[in-house]
Amino acid sequence: MPENAHEISLEAVIDRFQYDIGQYGSAETFALPEVAGRINHNMKYVQINDSLDQGMYLDEGLYRRDMQYGFFVQAGNRLTREDSHNKVFFGNMLLLPEGSDDEIHEQVAVKSRVSSETHKLLGEMALFQHLESLDIRTYRPAALLVGQKATHLMTYFEGNVATMDTVDWENMEIEEAWVEVDKVIDTMMQLYTNALFHGDLAFRNVAFDQTGKTVIIDPELMISAKESYDELLDAGVLFTPKQQRIYDGIVQKMSGEMGSVFHSIDRHILPLFPKQERPRSDEARLKIYKKHLFEPFKSRVRDLEDPIRSFLLRLTDDVVARKKAHAKEQKL
């Protein structure tokens, strides 16, 4: 039975990584593969089923044929307040080209998966590469270590990046809290205008740097709908039955993604309301989501050009209509 990564400790994950990085040298050093071109843009989870030899695969900026490696864990360095189910950890990767005294130091974040799930990690790496190709700020792959029992993806450390679940919500005024939601809206704009759906837009996955600019993180569940967008953007108002099925799938995807946003708003922002003003029904909450999430998003979309403007406005309205119908059903 495959090992369940969620059941092993972070210490065990780090120990395995340290063991693996000590097993390889210059004979097992390769260039990091470019796999973004392997993404299926058909709303399916991205998994790359390549078989890679064991060893270290380095970004072209780091790659030298003859290398020795080391790694030093940075204890206590965390991106999010909530414990990561993926056991992500941070550290300083040391690379020493043979015959040279010039050490290369890179701060990286490390995400590990057992060997049977390497295809998922390669899919995530492909999405990081794809986001970078779209000029969307994200974590850039630095290295991939293929070990005996696990594979480890290292991404360059982006400095002071935090996630929205780390915001000091309890000491905010309600007006300040709604300003923070603009980071979610900016994330939605970057993704949805490029036919991407994150898969989990809870506040723990909405990230920003010290200037407040958003950073796209953790694309583990991300999918690309580019083929669907291409099918629909110039289709006009009336869809064929095939186009309607494709469109309904996109509505369902965005609607489900908004559920994660709603849950985070419920958890972090609604408790800031005076008790007598807190919404007590799904319909009342939806009015708040519409005012502070959907309408500001649509306002940003209106600045775009057609056909993406009309498509995203229609999509947003249909997601709201679906949520409204669901809220009425809950009331009955």
Side-chain angles (χ1 to χ4, degrees), residues 36 39-44 46 123 126-138 186-201 216 219 221-229 250 253-254 257-258 297 308 311-312 315:
I39 295 174
N40 290 323
H41 298 276
N42 57 359
M43 297 187 67
K44 303 292 184 183
V46 180
L127 286 162
F128 279 130
Q129 292 174 342
H130 180 57
L131 288 165
E132 186 181 6
S133 74
L134 296 171
D135 292 325
I136 296 176
R137 188 174 172 196
T138 189
D186 189 59
T187 300
M188 291 164 58
M189 285 292 297
Q190 292 190 61
L191 294 178
Y192 298 160
T193 55
N194 286 286
L196 295 168
F197 292 86
H198 186 277
D200 184 5
L201 274 185
I216 305 301
L221 300 176
M222 186 176 289
I223 60 99
S224 171
K226 185 177 184 302
E227 290 183 5
S228 299
Y229 273 40
I250 296 176
K253 189 66 181 178
M254 183 176 174
E257 189 150 282
M258 288 303 98
F297 174 68
I308 189 67
F311 177 74
L312 287 179
L315 177 64

Side-chain angles (χ1 to χ4, degrees), residues 121-236:
L121 207 58
L122 284 172
E124 193 165 344
M125 186 173 80
L127 286 162
F128 279 130
Q129 292 174 342
H130 180 57
L131 288 165
E132 186 181 6
S133 74
L134 296 171
D135 292 325
I136 296 176
R137 188 174 172 196
T138 189
Y139 288 172
R140 192 160 58 89
L144 185 75
L145 175 61
V146 180
Q148 295 179 4
K149 294 184 178 180
T151 301
H152 318 271
L153 175 62
M154 285 158 272
T155 53
Y156 291 105
F157 184 61
E158 282 288 328
N160 295 320
V161 174
T163 53
M164 281 187 64
D165 63 300
T166 66
V167 171
D168 188 13
W169 298 103
E170 293 86 353
N171 294 314
M172 274 191 174
E173 298 293 331
I174 186 67
E175 293 81 7
E176 294 177 293
W178 289 126
V179 171
E180 290 295 317
V181 174
D182 188 62
K183 296 181 176 69
V184 181
I185 295 167
D186 189 59
T187 300
M188 291 164 58
M189 285 292 297
Q190 292 190 61
L191 294 178
Y192 298 160
T193 55
N194 286 286
L196 295 168
F197 292 86
H198 186 277
D200 184 5
L201 274 185
F203 283 5
R204 67 177 178 273
N205 288 323
V206 178
F208 55 94
D209 65 14
Q210 62 269 31
T211 69
K213 294 182 179 179
T214 55
V215 182
I216 305 301
I217 65 168
D218 199 13
E220 178 181 355
L221 300 176
M222 186 176 289
I223 60 99
S224 171
K226 185 177 184 302
E227 290 183 5
S228 299
Y229 273 40
D230 290 345
E231 178 84 17
L232 299 174
L233 282 180
D234 295 315

Side-chain angles (χ1 to χ4, degrees), residues 24-77:
Y24 307 109
S26 58
E28 300 87 18
T29 304
F30 313 98
L32 190 70
E34 175 66 38
V35 289
R38 303 278 304 282
I39 295 174
N40 290 323
H41 298 276
N42 57 359
M43 297 187 67
K44 303 292 184 183
Y45 292 122
V46 180
Q47 300 180 357
I48 308 295
N49 292 303
D50 283 358
S51 179
L52 298 177
D53 293 332
Q54 292 182 15
M56 177 69 84
Y57 296 79
L58 293 172
D59 174 48
E60 62 179 10
L62 303 175
Y63 177 63
R64 307 288 189 280
R65 183 63 185 85
D66 299 322
M67 280 280 193
Q68 297 296 325
Y69 318 102
F71 188 86
F72 305 94
V73 175
Q74 293 172 302
N77 198 344

